[in-house]
Amino acid sequence: HIPRATSNPEPFKMVDVEKKRVQLAARALIAHHKKQDRGDLLGIGESVWVQCAFKQTPTLTKQPKRISLAHGLYDELTSDICLITKDTQAEYEELARTKGLPGRVTILSVSKLKSDYKPYEAKRQLCQSFDLFLADDRVIDVLPRLLGKSFFTAKKQPIPIKISAKGGDWAAQLVKARDATYLHIGKGPCSALRVGSTDFSVAKLAENIMLVIEGLVKHDARKGKNIQALHIKTDSSIALPIYNSVVTGEDISYFPGVQGGPRHAGESSDEKDGKSIEAGAKKGGKPERKRKAGAGVDNAATKEVAVEGDEVKRQKKKASAPAAKK
């Protein structure tokens, strides 16, 4: 039995989000979805997302950050999960049967992925065939090249889990990965995390959102001080704000290179000129030198020589012109 995730109020000292505000926003999103006339006879709900805007882009990481949820995003009886493993596929399929994995799990080996899913259309159909993709963490680095961008566009990039042919509790690893959401750090300052759907009750959705906020604070290097704003939205709705932070002097002093920050504070003009000269020399160009005093003063003697030189040139040109005509 996997214990259900519960929220801890301690991290909220840095990110003060009222649960009542979260419940109000969740109730508004669910009500908005119900009012929409989409002509959907199946009544499938929309995904609900938490959007996080950071003050400074976090350090780029390959592995997503796991945040456990109280109420899972995937139903064990109806969700289809694909588990990508090392070779050989037959060996891992047999192991999966003996491990008694919960739910509808399909094993797919890396060699099978390479041979059967080369065309773009085949990759796109594979992406649409499963709700969740998990992968042996030993092969996770080769998958982006094999799967293509359609998986990342659909936000179905495989989640790494630790499995081994020698043993281990595969079922527990799968349940932990299934009943969680993931923070993917990209090249920009914003990230979106799926926290539920409009089929959830207000209470369940709010509980998941509070756990995600707690997880964001935990994974933030500044323990929540780097979080600028938080919003929640569905796939088609506007984003509703639930938290906003004001940039303080501490934030400015923390970010290196920001005007007024530690790199620029107390820096004289001579020091800045010296840095620009050094930067020019590093790039291979000649550093710009300061003009010496008196360099712009007119020199009468020099001007006289220049005028005489020009007159001599004109006389020589006149003398050579008749000879050229003959």
Side-chain angles (χ1 to χ4, degrees):
H1 174 66
I2 307 298
R4 198 183 77 159
T6 55
S7 61
N8 177 14
E10 184 67 21
F12 291 94
K13 290 180 179 179
M14 296 301 176
V15 179
D16 187 15
V17 181
E18 295 182 1
K19 192 169 184 179
K20 289 183 179 179
R21 185 180 183 87
V22 172
Q23 290 173 337
L24 184 64
R27 186 176 290 108
L29 286 181
I30 294 173
H32 171 75
H33 173 75
K34 290 180 178 178
K35 287 180 182 178
Q36 299 298 309
D37 184 15
R38 304 176 186 278
D40 187 0
L41 298 177
L42 297 176
I44 299 174
E46 287 186 283
S47 295
V48 177
W49 303 82
V50 166
Q51 290 182 330
C52 178
F54 295 100
K55 295 175 184 176
Q56 186 184 41
T57 303
T59 305
L60 188 66
T61 57
K62 290 183 179 180
Q63 303 292 348
K65 307 294 186 181
R66 179 186 295 177
I67 300 176
S68 297
L69 299 175
H71 311 283
L73 305 176
Y74 305 97
D75 185 85
E76 184 175 318
L77 301 177
T78 60
S79 297
D80 292 302
I81 298 174
C82 178
L83 176 58
I84 303 174
T85 66
K86 294 182 71 176
D87 298 325
T88 61
Q89 182 163 323
E91 178 185 356
Y92 277 88
E93 284 177 340
E94 181 61 31
L95 280 169
R97 280 192 288 270
T98 59
K99 298 289 183 182
L101 299 182
R104 293 157 32 173
V105 182
T106 300
I107 304 296
L108 178 63
S109 67
V110 171
S111 61
K112 191 78 172 176
L113 181 62
K114 288 180 180 179
S115 61
D116 293 2
Y117 296 95
K118 281 186 178 180
Y120 171 78
E121 183 60 27
K123 293 177 183 178
R124 190 182 66 84
Q125 290 180 1
L126 175 65
C127 181
Q128 294 178 347
S129 299
F130 295 93
D131 301 297
L132 176 66
F133 288 86
L134 306 175
D136 188 332
D137 62 349
R138 295 170 294 180
V139 301
I140 198 72
D141 290 338
V142 302
L143 295 182
R145 177 173 52 85
L146 298 177
L147 295 174
K149 66 178 183 179
S150 58
F151 278 76
F152 296 87
T153 304
K155 300 186 184 297
K156 286 187 178 182
Q157 53 266 54
I159 303 301
I161 62 173
K162 293 184 180 295
I163 57 175
S164 171
K166 296 180 180 179
D169 194 346
W170 284 30
Q173 289 289 330
L174 188 144
V175 170
K176 283 182 181 179
R178 184 193 65 195
D179 297 341
T181 191
Y182 295 87
L183 172 63
H184 295 272
I185 302 297
K187 295 181 180 179
C190 296
S191 296
L193 300 89
R194 190 180 170 205
V195 294
S197 77
T198 51
D199 293 332
F200 281 28
S201 67
V202 173
K204 288 183 177 180
L205 194 55
E207 190 173 359
N208 275 1
I209 292 170
M210 297 301 284
L211 282 168
V212 166
I213 296 171
E214 180 183 331
L216 287 169
V217 172
K218 177 183 176 183
H219 292 299
D220 179 23
R222 298 180 65 202
K223 300 303 178 187
K225 290 184 179 181
N226 193 36
I227 296 176
Q228 175 63 52
L230 295 170
H231 295 74
I232 64 171
K233 68 182 297 292
T234 66
D235 295 327
S236 61
S237 74
I238 62 171
L240 302 179
I242 56 174
Y243 172 78
N244 192 35
S245 172
V246 178
V247 178
T248 63
E250 182 184 351
D251 296 323
I252 296 174
S253 63
Y254 179 82
F255 302 146
V258 176
Q259 188 66 32
R263 276 191 195 168
H264 298 277
E267 205 174 67
S268 66
S269 59
D270 290 338
E271 288 173 341
K272 290 179 181 178
D273 290 339
K275 287 184 179 180
S276 64
I277 291 173
E278 289 176 4
K282 286 180 181 179
K283 291 180 180 178
K286 293 183 179 180
E288 185 180 348
R289 300 184 180 277
K290 290 185 177 180
R291 184 177 298 216
K292 292 182 180 179
V297 178
D298 292 342
N299 191 323
T302 305
K303 282 187 176 181
E304 262 188 272
V305 172
V307 170
E308 288 177 2
D310 291 339
E311 185 63 29
V312 171
K313 286 180 182 179
R314 281 196 294 271
Q315 289 178 1
K316 284 183 179 180
K317 191 174 181 181
K318 288 180 180 180
S320 61
K325 287 179 181 179
K326 293 177 182 179

